[in-house]
Amino acid sequence: MAEKAAMTLIGLKKTIGSKPIIKGLTFEIKRGEVFGFLGPNGAGKTTTIRMMVGLMDITEGDVLIEGKSIKDNFKEAVRHVGAIVENPEMYPFLSGWKNLQQYARMTEGVSQERIKEVVELVGLGNAIHEKAGRYSLGMRQRLGIAQALLHKPSILILDEPTNGLDPSGIREIRKYIRNLAEKENVAVIVSSHLLSEIELMCDRIGIIKKGELIAIEDVKTVEDHSALKDVHIEVHPLEMAKDYLQSEMDQTIAINKKELIVSAKREDIPQILKNLVNRGMDVYGVRILQSTLEDKFFDLIGENAIE
Amino acid sequence: MNNFLKLVWNEQIKLYAKKSTWIMIALIAAIVIGAGLLAKFMDSGIQTEEYGADWQSELQQENAALAKEMEEDEFAQFSNPFTIQKNEYYLENDIKPLPYDGWEYVLENAALTSLLSLFTIIIAAGIVSNEFKWGTIKLLLIRPISRSKILLSKYVSVLLFALMLLVSMLAASWLVGALLFGLNGASPMIVQETAAGFEQTSVLKEILLGYGFGMVTLVMMATFAFMISTIFRSSGMAIGLAIFLMFAGNTLVMFVSQYSWSKYILFANTNLQQYFNGNEPIIEGMSLAFSLTVLAIYFAIFLAAAWTAFTKRDIAGN
Ligand SMILES: Nc1ncnc2c1ncn2[C@@H]1O[C@H](COP(=O)(O)OP(=O)(O)OP(=O)(O)O)[C@@H](O)[C@H]1O
Ligand SMILES: [Mg+2]
């Protein structure tokens, strides 16, 4: 991915009244990448997004979209962006289809076929001809995404797209977003205050707190097999298993309720289990803690106090 | 299709997709039909029969009867002199009176332009602020279109709406009038009272003036409501203020008319009727050219204020 960045933030600042809300954000988002914008309530995610799309004036710094400044070249810059800012709000008295037509008329080259295509993509089906005022939150979220995709943007910005969705809805959105990034080479920015909801769809996660970017983390999509992981093994009898592993296999062991916690490499796990079973011990379950990102997030954020 | 026309087209779709718009149109139709039926079938004093060949003596008899009635009935002392003088004008100028017809009905309905103003104010006050209320403003303003163009398309849509109301009302009045009262030809002459006494004039000219004067107030107050609602991003205050000023404006001017600065008040100038039919302007030293200049300045200020508020301010918290 040595491509030019799709979006670049350069020392972006926002002051409302005399209160600094965003205190200098600098980062890039590349084509084909899903960037998670993570922070607690009131951290400044929505404010940043409003500046990215030109809804709010930039106090200092700039946002470049495909190299064009949103400040000085609004039309050329915003042309490449599709977005939902906060809730996906629609004209309640128009059908979903007519809502989309409104936006189609505002950008050149969006055909009726394209509208059909995005409706298909977000899976709204026949509901598209019902009034948007009757849509459930999940349906509005889908219509919002359809609206953002109409003009084939190269950057898609979704402010809390998982807000109010049920688990299957979140899974579906995750699927579209991965698809868009991987197949259509779109740069996607998703904001959230819940790591667990976006962790699985993001390549990188930027963590924002009180208007400052405090970390950018790569989310490893390929597991690092040589790293030590905490493996929880539910085994009986516990003490016997612990003694055996400590003496014979030289493992560091802890006991937590009915589980042994073994720090081991992924490749060593089958051998450990085989040995336990061969010695007549009963193994009821094994689990590996997926991620340490969550812990890291909490370490970085501290307690979630809104100021 | 041109980019700007598409924006106006979008606005029109939103306007006519709402029930409230159709309620306004239905109300106007109901009033035009209802008032016509009342005039026709209730005893409303309009003269529907045609005079005969000897219309002069008919008028003289009518006047004699009216004069006699005045001796007996106090109320008649107020209402009858107008008819007597009008009849005398017919006799002196040898004009045969025409019966009441559809054209006169259209002319009388010029008073309904204040209803059109009211409806247009409501639309003007909502066209920008509703986007904030619905939250759709965020989706509207992230398109590759300048905010100025979007605002202009909304303003033009308000004027188009007013034009649609005006044309519908004219058409409905003419149709209802023609069906109920008939028409005295394509462009009959009528006799009207003016400040300088009775005068014969073309009904078409009077219709044009009557509705034209109404449109001046309509455009100014709708633009005012458009500005207020764009600045405050809510429609309630804009509607209230515009309607209050539209009806109370004249009275306010009367209160301060002894001061010479009062002639610069918007409402001293919205009624252009004061320069026609021998009327005197409400404040000394005013002229048609003066009023038109003052109106143009207010108009420009309203639009400039709306434009500044719409293009310069952050879209936050919606
Ligand atoms: N118009 C405004 N005037 C003053 N302060 C504002 C304004 N808009 C936002 N703020 C403040 O800016 C900060 C960031 O708000 P923002 O909406 O960007 O947070 P967020 O990260 O999107 O939070 P959430 O997760 O709740 O959506 C908050 O402290 C908020 O109070
Ligand atoms: Mg937010």
Side-chain angles (χ1 to χ4, degrees):
Chain A
M1 266 193 267
E3 276 180 74
K4 191 175 75 178
M7 181 182 264
T8 313
L9 274 66
I10 310 163
L12 190 68
K13 287 188 189 169
K14 178 75 187 178
T15 306
I16 298 180
S18 59
K19 186 180 164 202
I21 308 267
I22 303 297
K23 302 163 186 165
L25 297 183
T26 303
F27 58 88
E28 285 186 353
I29 298 122
K30 296 185 190 72
R31 285 260 191 147
E33 171 185 48
V34 182
F35 183 86
F37 198 37
L38 192 65
N41 292 128
K45 302 178 296 288
T46 300
T47 307
T48 306
I49 288 173
R50 283 179 196 271
M51 285 193 280
M52 287 174 172
V53 296
L55 288 176
M56 273 187 163
D57 267 345
I58 292 170
T59 307
E60 211 184 304
D62 205 350
V63 174
L64 301 183
I65 298 169
E66 300 289 349
K68 314 246 169 36
S69 157
I70 192 83
K71 274 202 303 202
D72 309 327
N73 203 351
F74 171 75
K75 282 195 262 182
E76 282 310 309
V78 89
R79 189 181 294 284
H80 303 287
V81 177
I84 305 181
V85 184
E86 271 179 341
N87 305 313
E89 273 132 341
M90 297 288 158
Y91 300 108
F93 49 86
L94 294 181
S95 69
W97 181 265
K98 286 191 173 160
N99 267 287
L100 290 181
Q101 277 186 321
Q102 287 274 321
Y103 302 113
R105 281 188 208 99
M106 296 180 77
T107 324
E108 264 143 64
V110 180
S111 62
Q112 297 290 304
E113 276 64 45
R114 177 63 187 163
I115 305 181
K116 281 196 195 117
E117 224 172 274
V118 293
V119 169
E120 193 94 349
L121 180 73
V122 299
L124 267 172
N126 279 334
I128 196 69
H129 297 294
E130 272 172 42
K131 290 221 163 89
R134 298 200 204 112
Y135 282 15
S136 69
L137 184 53
M139 288 159 85
R140 273 190 285 143
Q141 204 66 265
R142 286 162 196 238
L143 190 59
I145 293 180
Q147 159 279 131
L149 290 176
L150 270 182
H151 50 292
K152 299 191 173 165
S154 57
I155 299 160
L156 181 65
I157 302 176
L158 305 173
D159 194 6
E160 316 233 4
T162 51
N163 210 353
L165 291 187
D166 54 24
S168 78
I170 294 175
R171 197 155 49 229
E172 264 181 65
I173 292 232
R174 185 189 304 151
K175 212 173 66 195
Y176 307 146
I177 288 176
R178 285 307 324 170
N179 240 335
L180 283 168
E182 282 159 24
K183 302 230 171 78
E184 321 255 333
N185 205 26
V186 174
V188 188
I189 301 169
V190 283
S191 83
S192 179
H193 47 253
L194 285 177
L195 175 67
S196 55
E197 285 189 353
I198 58 166
E199 190 183 3
L200 288 174
M201 60 178 116
C202 294
D203 299 304
R204 276 196 308 155
I205 291 182
I207 299 174
I208 180 176
K209 186 187 174 188
K210 293 180 191 165
E212 280 171 304
L213 195 69
I214 53 175
I216 293 190
E217 298 286 333
D218 275 319
V219 181
K220 295 263 175 0
T221 43
V222 187
E223 294 265 324
D224 186 353
H225 286 186
S226 61
L228 287 173
K229 289 216 169 73
D230 282 352
V231 184
H232 293 228
I233 306 171
E234 195 183 337
V235 60
H236 185 83
L238 259 184
E239 286 302 326
M240 184 175 157
K242 185 186 172 195
D243 291 344
Y244 165 72
L245 287 176
Q246 246 158 10
S247 55
E248 303 277 317
M249 296 193 73
D250 197 24
Q251 298 282 347
T252 19
I253 313 274
I255 291 186
N256 176 25
K257 290 176 196 156
K258 283 187 282 182
E259 290 177 333
L260 285 183
I261 303 170
V262 182
S263 188
K265 290 181 193 161
R266 183 184 154 91
E267 56 195 29
D268 293 338
I269 297 172
Q271 195 52 52
I272 294 174
L273 294 178
K274 251 182 237 161
N275 288 342
L276 290 174
V277 172
N278 286 345
R279 264 149 236 270
M281 285 174 265
D282 300 328
V283 177
Y284 292 94
V286 181
R287 57 195 180 93
I288 302 169
L289 271 199
Q290 275 297 345
S291 160
T292 50
L293 205 54
E294 185 89 43
D295 305 328
K296 211 169 199 171
F297 176 59
F298 277 114
D299 290 346
L300 288 167
I301 297 290
E303 71 241 50
N304 187 1
I306 299 174
E307 291 178 30
Chain B
M1 214 187 336
N2 174 293
N3 186 315
F4 182 71
L5 289 182
K6 281 190 196 165
L7 290 181
V8 174
W9 183 234
N10 268 353
E11 292 303 327
Q12 297 292 312
I13 288 175
K14 287 185 261 182
L15 218 58
Y16 292 106
K18 284 169 56 198
K19 273 201 203 84
S20 52
T21 309
W22 292 101
I23 292 173
M24 291 177 188
I25 295 171
L27 265 177
I28 289 178
I31 289 172
V32 168
I33 295 170
L37 290 175
L38 276 182
K40 171 96 179 174
F41 297 111
M42 307 291 279
D43 179 22
S44 53
I46 59 165
Q47 176 240 324
T48 44
E49 285 126 62
E50 221 172 314
Y51 287 91
D54 192 16
W55 56 271
Q56 282 101 337
S57 49
E58 275 182 62
L59 282 183
Q60 274 156 358
Q61 280 162 23
E62 203 180 304
N63 273 0
L66 287 170
K68 189 152 173 262
E69 192 185 21
M70 281 169 67
E71 285 163 21
E72 291 152 14
D73 183 353
E74 264 185 59
F75 178 70
Q77 290 176 2
F78 294 102
S79 57
N80 290 5
F82 172 80
T83 321
I84 296 176
Q85 281 160 24
K86 195 172 177 181
N87 285 345
E88 276 163 5
Y89 179 85
Y90 280 122
L91 289 168
E92 280 162 27
N93 295 281
D94 197 27
I95 303 166
K96 182 181 169 188
L98 293 169
Y100 186 86
D101 76 336
W103 292 112
E104 275 192 83
Y105 185 62
V106 174
L107 179 57
E108 280 187 351
N109 280 351
L112 288 180
T113 50
S114 51
L115 189 66
L116 299 195
S117 301
L118 199 98
F119 291 164
T120 310
I121 284 170
I122 293 173
I123 295 296
I127 200 161
V128 172
S129 61
N130 279 343
E131 301 277 357
F132 283 91
K133 191 176 86 189
W134 297 323
T136 44
I137 188 75
K138 292 174 301 194
L139 295 182
L140 204 60
L141 297 187
I142 58 170
R143 311 289 145 183
I145 297 171
S146 71
R147 288 195 190 181
S148 313
K149 215 173 196 179
I150 287 177
L151 188 70
L152 185 66
S153 75
K154 286 185 172 292
Y155 184 68
V156 167
S157 291
V158 171
L159 296 185
L160 278 181
F161 174 78
L163 186 69
M164 181 283 303
L165 281 186
L166 177 66
V167 170
S168 323
M169 198 180 80
L170 278 171
S173 297
W174 187 83
L175 214 68
V176 169
L179 284 174
L180 291 177
F181 310 110
L183 296 170
N184 299 325
S187 171
M189 302 294 282
I190 55 163
V191 168
Q192 269 209 326
E193 193 191 25
T194 69
F198 285 98
E199 216 175 65
Q200 195 185 27
T201 163
S202 144
V203 74
L204 282 186
K205 182 187 142 205
E206 291 305 315
I207 289 174
L208 201 70
L209 284 176
Y211 282 83
F213 294 139
M215 287 304 111
V216 173
T217 307
L218 180 147
V219 169
M220 293 308 297
M221 295 321 292
T223 310
F224 176 76
F226 185 77
M227 167 191 73
I228 297 289
S229 72
T230 305
I231 292 173
F232 294 98
R233 297 178 176 181
S234 93
S235 63
M237 181 167 77
I239 295 175
L241 210 57
I243 291 175
F244 170 74
L245 288 175
M246 184 167 82
F247 290 112
N250 260 325
T251 322
L252 294 179
V253 172
M254 283 311 182
F255 266 121
V256 293
S257 60
Q258 71 268 32
Y259 306 107
S260 67
W261 51 259
S262 65
K263 62 175 181 280
Y264 298 105
I265 297 176
L266 173 63
F267 307 102
N269 297 280
T270 42
N271 179 14
L272 295 181
Q273 195 119 36
Q274 59 186 317
Y275 304 113
F276 290 84
N277 290 340
N279 292 330
E280 289 287 325
I282 54 172
I283 295 153
E284 245 185 60
M286 290 171 64
S287 68
L288 181 60
F290 172 83
S291 281
L292 289 177
T293 311
V294 172
L295 289 175
I297 292 171
Y298 272 104
F299 183 75
I301 291 174
F302 290 169
L303 284 185
W307 180 80
T308 310
F310 193 72
T311 56
K312 300 278 183 280
R313 277 173 50 200
D314 283 349
I315 310 298
N318 285 286

